[in-house]
Amino acid sequence: MPNTTTCNVENYQCSDIGLLMPFVSEYTWPIAARATIYFIGLLWSFMAVSIVADIFMRSIETITSRTRPIRIHSSTSPTGYIDVEVKVWNDTVANLTLMALGSSAPEILLSVIEVSFNGFRSKDLGPSTIVGSAAFNLFVITAMCIVAVPAAEKKLIKNVKVFAVTSIFSLFAYLWLLVILIGITPDYVDLWEAIVTLLFFPILVVVAYIADKDYCGKPGKDEEAPFGIGGLDPEKASKDFVVEVLKKIGKQPNLTEEDEARIVAAYVSKNTSHRQGWYRMNAIRNLTGGPRLVPTTNERQDKILTKLLTGEDIGSSVSLYEDIDAGVTAIVEWAASSTAVMEKDGRAKLALMRHGNTQNKVLIRVETIDGTAEANSDYKPFKETIVFEPGVTAKQIDIEIIDDNEWEPDEVFFVRLTAEPEQQARIGKRSVTQITILNDDDPGVFGFGKPSFVFKESAGRAMIPVERSNGADGRVVVGWKTKDMTAISSKDYIGGKGEIEFHHGETTKYIEIQIIDDQDFEKDEHFEIELTDVVPDGARIGRLKRTVVTIMNDDEFTGVVSRVVNLTNANLDSLKVSTTTWGQQFEEAMNVNGGDVENATIFDYVMHFVTFGFKVIFACIPPPSIWSGWLCFFVSLGAIGVLTAIVGDLAALFGCLVGLKDTVTAITFVALGTSLPDLFASKQAAVQEETADNSIGNVTGSNSVNVFLGLGLSWLIAAVYWTSQGKTFEVPAGSLSFSVTLYTICAVLALGLLVIRRLVAKFGKAELGGSKIPKIMCAVFLVFLWVFYVIMSSLQAYGHIQAF
């Protein structure tokens, strides 16, 4: 008789608990392998949900950001009125309806799908995920926001009345669940109870709207302002605004127009108030290697931007440049841009200096280049590699000068620096130095190199060179003075008189004149500089002893501003929340950082590779530009529903295979997976926003909506079904009632802490920020409440603690 084996399906663990899974027979697979696969699949699915939720939030942002034109009286307008754009959606209504749905869609849909596709019977995963997410949001996110605010800063909830309404409703929502499950109809939910639960959602929205508009309080000033902060469109930068920012940046010759445009775009973005949905989308994109909603700045740009935002003095660009390079890159350059040497001296001694990173070994190539002086005839050619050992900051280069005992006019040659490749070093501004071989024993002739010089008003200063020729022997002092022409001293420039000193061998010095930049559009203005005298008597003033300095009109400045405005708006256009075409969606989906490869990190590349398939699939969803975002809204909502069903199966199967009950899986893995984007979004909002409304102000509203809409809708669907069957919808109180009671007690403590923080000076009288030690203590307490909630709920689920 041949050996035969049979498959005992009763030993096929966890094969019948999923709605869609398992897709294939896993009977012969090891339990550990199956659990690992489902765990990885669960994490991967959370990424997929986040990506499609990003698209979903795009549609919501498009819908709720719609504006309408209105005319308001203006005494300064020739017509007597001006047209402004105001939002169609009230912010409070938007936050409690579409925005709350956008951030809580996975939890809400999980509860609805779990009931609808499991014979309309109550399960633990959906309701427990809602309570677990509420706990994570209120305790952990609030704790993170408290400590995320920079030191010495504090932020308050501005719309206190709305926050009070949503806080009361968030507590009432969970108390109402206890009333249903334990008080009125223990372990059952009647149809009327489900209807009332769902109706609390529109009641919450109406009451919050009344509180926002202050209809029941003292009439106040209508704060509904034109679209954007202070009338500033968050997607555009006006010329006046750019001029103001450029004025704050000051004179930074090392900044290109592209640098300035990126700084202005980042400044616009960081000074524009955003909804919670914007922060959630940006957090998702940061986690998945998608296109950023905030301009990416390099180190130097970021340093200037930080000083702009904090109101600090930006200072000179040189110090900024060197501060950033310090400790990272070695900078090597000549100590002087020009040097003079007597032919009889026989050697030109050149100083080479290094700054920045002085702890690495640097190789620099030094090479002479002919000018009017020729190699082997006037000097010995030099071509060597100079080595800077660690810690060495200066080197001296000696170049031999050939003395032919014949009189010759002054001659010049050059010495150039080049950094060897593949090392952390670069050449500074003075990469080439000029060597002048001088006629012996003559102090020289002094004069201007040109009869006129032109400087932009925005340059801030004019550097006018005074040149020394036909000798450079000894020390010479040259006097100078300015004379007004069309430019007026103390109004257009800082004039007067002064002296410049030439030491032995020096051939060029600069007269520095400060130019006053008033940012007004003016014609060209002129003033004159004259060399008045020289000491000692052997020195002479040459033919060009006067020069005219022109302060260039603002035509070029206007052109610069216009170019910066265009570049800034191009940067802002790339940061728009929504896309216009399918082509743009696929382009963003198929490129790391949406195509901004230059600023992509290794993490961006890894996450882009991991999520690439999901990005391409979901790029098929219609863009928000179609039907004002509504088509995208419903299609992406359907996609979230499908993914939520998969997440539910993966979570249930994983929990089953490792021995976790659905309640524990829901309040830990599923709650964390669906709430992590909100954590990062709230943290960014806490740092960037001026108030605490968009960081923690939305938590209580979202928690209320989860109960009223998530449980209310799913219970209504099941209650209608069982009522049609002549029965009552059964919802065992057990673990759910214990979890709700525990959460409610902890929530009262958490909300009480926020009230104390606002009222007590020790905590800074603010919900967020304040002194370091008190805010850390508050954060630790809130995290403890979450850990306590998770541990106690888990112990009850396994029977170590008896429920009601």
Side-chain angles (χ1 to χ4, degrees), residues 65-70 72 82-91 158 212-213 221-234 273 275:
S65 295
R66 285 184 57 208
T67 62
R68 59 185 175 88
I70 64 169
I72 60 176
I82 58 173
D83 292 327
V84 297
E85 296 286 329
V86 297
K87 296 176 182 178
V88 173
W89 283 73
N90 173 267
D91 283 344
K158 180 181 178 182
D212 179 51
K213 304 303 288 185
K221 188 177 181 180
D222 190 358
E223 295 185 354
E224 187 170 25
F227 189 43
I229 296 301
L232 173 65
D233 189 332
S273 181
R275 288 195 182 100

Side-chain angles (χ1 to χ4, degrees), residues 105-183:
E107 296 97 318
I108 295 171
L109 290 176
L110 179 61
S111 179
V112 172
I113 291 172
E114 187 180 45
V115 166
S116 301
F117 293 92
N118 282 282
F120 299 99
R121 293 180 175 83
S122 176
K123 306 283 285 186
D124 290 331
L125 197 63
S128 295
T129 297
I130 287 176
V131 183
S133 295
F136 185 86
N137 293 345
L138 182 58
F139 306 142
V140 178
I141 290 181
T142 303
M144 176 65 76
C145 291
I146 289 174
V147 297
V149 175
E153 288 188 27
K154 52 186 180 181
K155 301 186 179 183
L156 294 87
I157 292 176
K158 180 181 178 182
N159 205 334
V160 179
K161 292 183 179 180
V162 173
F163 182 71
V165 168
T166 56
S167 297
I168 293 171
F169 267 85
S170 69
L171 294 175
F172 171 76
Y174 291 93
L175 290 174
W176 171 249
L177 294 182
L178 294 177
V179 170
I180 294 176
L181 298 176
I182 299 175

